[in-house]
C-alpha cells in the first residue's frame, strides 16, 4: 500500500526554463543537455506532498492572473500623497526576475505603473531597478520584457557604484543610490521570496532592499562585511525610517512568491505590517520545503539554471540555503550558517572553520555538478568545500573570465559533457540520489531514488513544522494578537490557528 501511494506521487521530470543570452553566462547553444533529461530522473509535486498549501495563480503561465491580483490588492492602498505633478519612481530589484522566468514580476511592475497613473493622474512615472554585483543584469530584463517601451523610455538599471546620496539616519549617515531617490515619491515593488535567509535569517525581510538594492556599495558592505548576518538587518530599517525616505514613501507592492509558485500580490502603505505577514507566510511555505530538503542524507547536486551559483532554485529554495541545510536557518538560536560572506572569512588555509560556532557545509552534498549557471557572484567558496565538476569548457570559461571567480577552476574539474560529469559524480559520491536546482517551481526535479526517500519523510516534516513554527515566530517578536490582526486585515481567517499555537507555545 505504501509503495503504491509513493508511486502515485512520483512524476516525470518537469522541463526547466531554457537558457537565455547573458553577459554573465554561456550562450544558450552551449547548454547541450539538461539535468531533467538524464536517465532515472523524476519529480515530486510540492502541493501533492503538503496538501494544505494554497493553490498558485502562476503557473499556469498567464500574466493576466498577476495583473488581476495586483489590481485587487492595490484597491486597499492609499495613493492620495501622490499628486499629478509629482515625479514617481517605482523601485524594483533584479531578484524578482529570477522567479519563474521573470514574467510575473514584470507584469506586477507594469500594473503598478498603470494603477498609479490612473488613480493619481501622475504622468512622470519611472522604473528604477537596483542590482547587486552583476551591474548589467537588469539591462537584460528591461529589454526582454520591453519595460523601457512600457515606461516611455524611463526604465533604468542602477548599480551600487552609481552616484550616491547621503541619508541621515538614527545611526548616522548611510548612502543610497541617487537615482533611486531623485523623485518626489517612491513605490517599493519587491517579492516575498526568502532568498538569502542564510544572511538575513528572515528578520526585516521586507525592508532589506533599502540596505541592498537601493543602497550604495559602502552601505551594502556594512551588511556583508562590517556587521555580518543578522547584526546588520537594522541598517535597512534605519534607512527606511529616515526622514528623507519617509517624505518620499507611498506604499509597497510585493509579488507573493512561494515554493509552489506565485500565490498573489500583497500591497500596503504600512511596510511593518506587510513584513509581519510575509514572515508568517514564508515560515510556513518555505519552512516546510526547507525542512524536507534538510532530511536528505546524501546526494549529488546539479545546478542547471540561469542565475549565479547561490541563486539557482529547487522548489523555490536557492542552493545557498541548501548549503546550510544541516542547521535550521530559521531558528535564531542556531549558530552562524556554514555559508555567508561574513563567515567565509573565518576559515583557515585548510578551509576549516576557525571557530566552533561555524558549522561545516551541509555534509549531505557529496558532489556538485555545474551544468548551467552564471558568474557575477563570488563563488570560489563552493568548489573549495565541495568536489565540483563543471560541464564543458565554455561553462568553465564563465568562471575563468569572471574577476570575482578567477580562482574557481583551480578547485574544480571540467567534464566534456553532462553524461561524463554524472558518471564521474556517481563514482565519487557513491550514491544515486540526485537533486537538481533548475528553477522549477511547484515541483522539484530529482532522481527517482531521492524522490522515494523524501516522500517517506513527509509525515516527519509535517510534525516538525507544527512545533517549529510558533518557536520561529516567537523569536521574531510575533504575538497571537499580531496574527489575529493580520488575519483580519488580509482576510485570511485560517491564520487564527497559528495564533492559537502561539498562545500554547
Amino acid at each position: 500500500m505504501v509503495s503504491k501511494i509513493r508511486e502515485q506521487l512520483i512524476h516525470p521530470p518537469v522541463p526547466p526554463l531554457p537558457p537565455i543570452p547573458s553577459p554573465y553566462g554561456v550562450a544558450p547553444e552551449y547548454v547541450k543537455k539538461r539535468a531533467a533529461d538524464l536517465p532515472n530522473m523524476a519529480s515530486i509535486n510540492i502541493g501533492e506532498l503538503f496538501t494544505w498549501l494554497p493553490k498558485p495563480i502562476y503557473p499556469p503561465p498567464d500574466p493576466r492572473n498577476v495583473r488581476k491580483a495586483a489590481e485587487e490588492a492595490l484597491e486597499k492602498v492609499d495613493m492620495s500623497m501622490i499628486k499629478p505633478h509629482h515625479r514617481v519612481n517605482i523601485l524594483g530589484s533584479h531578484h524578482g526576475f529570477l522567479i519563474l522566468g521573470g514574467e510575473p514580476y514584470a507584469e506586477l511592475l507594469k500594473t503598478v505603473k498603470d494603477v498609479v497613473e490612473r488613480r493619481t493622474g501622475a504622468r512622470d512615472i519611472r522604473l528604477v531597478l537596483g542590482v547587486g554585483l552583476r551591474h548589467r543584469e537588469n539591462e537584460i530584463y528591461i529589454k526582454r520584457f520591453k519595460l523601457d517601451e512600457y515606461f516611455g523610455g524611463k526604465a533604468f538599471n542602477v548599480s551600487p557604484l552609481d552616484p550616491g546620496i547621503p541619508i541621515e539616519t538614527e545611526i548616522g549617515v548611510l548612502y543610497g543610490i541617487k537615482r533611486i531617490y531623485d523623485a518626489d515619491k517612491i513605490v517599493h515593488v519587491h517579492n516575498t521570496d526568502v532568498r538569502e535567509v542564510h544572511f538575513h535569517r528572515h528578520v526585516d525581510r521586507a525592508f532589506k532592499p533599502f540596505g541592498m538594492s537601493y543602497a550604495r556599495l559602502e552601505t551594502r558592505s556594512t551588511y556583508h562585511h562590517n556587521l555580518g548576518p543578522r547584526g546588520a538587518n537594522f541598517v535597512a530599517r534605519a534607512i527606511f525610517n529616515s526622514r528623507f525616505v519617509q517624505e518620499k514613501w507611498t506604499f509597497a507592492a510585493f509579488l507573493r512568491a512561494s515554493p509552489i509558485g506565485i500565490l498573489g500580490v500583497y500591497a500596503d502603505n504600512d511596510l511593518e505590517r506587510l513584513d509581519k505577514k510575509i514572515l508568517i507566510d514564508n515560515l510556513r511555505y518555505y519552512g516546510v520545503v526547507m525542512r524536507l530538503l534538510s532530511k536528505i542524507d546524501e546526494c549529488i547536486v546539479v545546478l542547471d539554471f540561469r542565475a549565479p551559483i547561490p541563486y539557482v532554485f529547487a522548489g523555490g529554495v536557492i542552493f545557498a540555503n541548501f548549503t546550510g541545510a544541516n542547521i535550521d536557518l530559521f531558528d535564531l538560536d542556531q549558530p552562524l550558517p556554514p555559508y555567508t560572506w561574513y563567515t567565509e572569512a573565518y576559515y583557515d588555509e585548510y578551509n576549516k572553520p576557525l571557530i566552533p560556532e561555524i558549522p561545516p557545509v551541509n555534509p549531505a552534498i557529496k558532489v556538485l555538478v555545474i551544468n548551467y549557471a552564471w558568474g557575477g557572484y563570488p563563488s570560489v567558496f563552493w568548489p573549495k568545500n565541495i568536489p565540483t565538476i563543471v560541464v564543458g569548457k565554455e561553462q568553465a570559461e564563465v568562471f575563468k573570465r569572471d574577476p570575482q571567480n578567477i580562482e574557481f577552476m583551480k578547485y574544480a574539474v571540467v567534464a566534456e559533457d553532462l553524461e561524463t560529469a554524472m558518471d564521474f559524480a556517481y563514482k565519487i559520491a557513491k550514491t544515486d540520489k540526485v537533486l537538481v536546482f533548475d528553477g522549477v517551481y511547484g515541483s522539484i526535479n530529482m532522481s527517482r531514488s531521492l524522490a522515494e526517500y523524501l516522500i517517506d519523510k513527509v509525515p516527519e516534516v509535517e510534525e516538525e513544522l507544527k512545533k517549529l513554527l510558533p518557536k520561529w515566530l516567537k523569536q521574531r517578536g510575533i504575538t497571537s494578537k499580531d496574527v489575529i490582526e493580520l488575519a483580519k486585515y488580509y482576510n485570511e481567517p485560517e491564520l487564527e490557528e497559528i495564533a492559537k499555537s502561539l498562545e500554547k507555545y
Side-chain angles (χ1 to χ4, degrees), residues 330-394:
F330 288 126
D331 185 354
L332 300 185
D333 291 334
Q334 289 284 346
L336 288 165
Y339 167 73
T340 69
W341 284 6
Y342 194 71
T343 53
E344 188 178 350
Y346 290 91
Y347 285 77
D348 63 20
E349 66 270 28
Y350 303 105
N351 225 43
K352 299 287 173 103
L354 292 173
I355 55 176
E357 286 77 14
I358 304 174
V361 169
N362 184 3
I365 307 172
K366 302 304 181 184
V367 180
L368 177 63
V369 176
I370 304 174
N371 187 50
Y372 174 45
W374 291 354
Y377 189 100
S379 302
V380 180
F381 175 83
W382 284 287
K384 276 186 173 182
N385 282 275
I386 305 168
T388 299
I389 307 167
V390 176
V391 176
K393 64 180 185 299
E394 295 83 8

Side-chain angles (χ1 to χ4, degrees), residues 185-260:
K185 300 295 178 182
I186 57 173
V187 180
H188 177 35
V189 182
H190 203 57
N191 69 85
T192 65
D193 176 20
V194 296
R195 192 66 49 150
E196 306 102 329
V197 71
H198 53 285
F199 278 132
H200 58 74
R201 305 297 288 275
H202 221 303
V203 175
D204 286 352
R205 172 69 181 89
F207 296 84
K208 189 169 179 278
F210 287 91
M212 298 297 288
S213 297
Y214 309 156
R216 265 279 305 186
L217 185 64
E218 297 89 343
T219 292
R220 292 176 62 101
S221 295
T222 300
Y223 186 95
H224 279 308
H225 295 292
N226 298 71
L227 296 173
R230 289 178 59 189
N233 284 321
F234 66 86
V235 171
R237 184 180 279 266
I239 293 174
F240 176 77
N241 287 337
S242 69
R243 180 177 178 181
F244 175 79
V245 172
Q246 286 301 304
E247 287 177 348
K248 297 175 182 291
W249 174 254
T250 57
F251 66 91
F254 274 52
L255 191 70
R256 292 184 62 197
S258 80
I260 54 176

Side-chain angles (χ1 to χ4, degrees), residues 234-303:
F234 66 86
V235 171
R237 184 180 279 266
I239 293 174
F240 176 77
N241 287 337
S242 69
R243 180 177 178 181
F244 175 79
V245 172
Q246 286 301 304
E247 287 177 348
K248 297 175 182 291
W249 174 254
T250 57
F251 66 91
F254 274 52
L255 191 70
R256 292 184 62 197
S258 80
I260 54 176
I262 305 303
L263 302 181
V265 173
Y266 283 141
D268 206 327
N269 297 99
D270 186 340
L271 193 59
E272 178 85 35
R273 177 169 56 202
L274 181 58
D275 184 68
K276 290 179 180 178
K277 184 61 176 72
I278 291 169
L279 172 64
I280 295 171
D281 284 358
N282 285 351
L283 293 184
R284 289 190 294 164
Y285 306 152
Y286 285 94
V288 72
V289 176
M290 290 174 71
R291 292 304 300 171
L292 181 66
L293 295 180
S294 76
K295 300 302 176 185
I296 297 175
D297 59 343
E298 58 180 14
C299 71
I300 298 165
V301 169
V302 184
L303 308 186

Side-chain angles (χ1 to χ4, degrees), residues 9 44-53 292 451 454-455 458 462:
L9 294 171
I44 53 175
N45 183 286
I46 299 168
E48 289 180 357
L49 298 183
F50 306 102
T51 55
W52 51 270
L53 289 168
L292 181 66
L454 287 179
I455 288 169
V458 168
E462 293 268 23

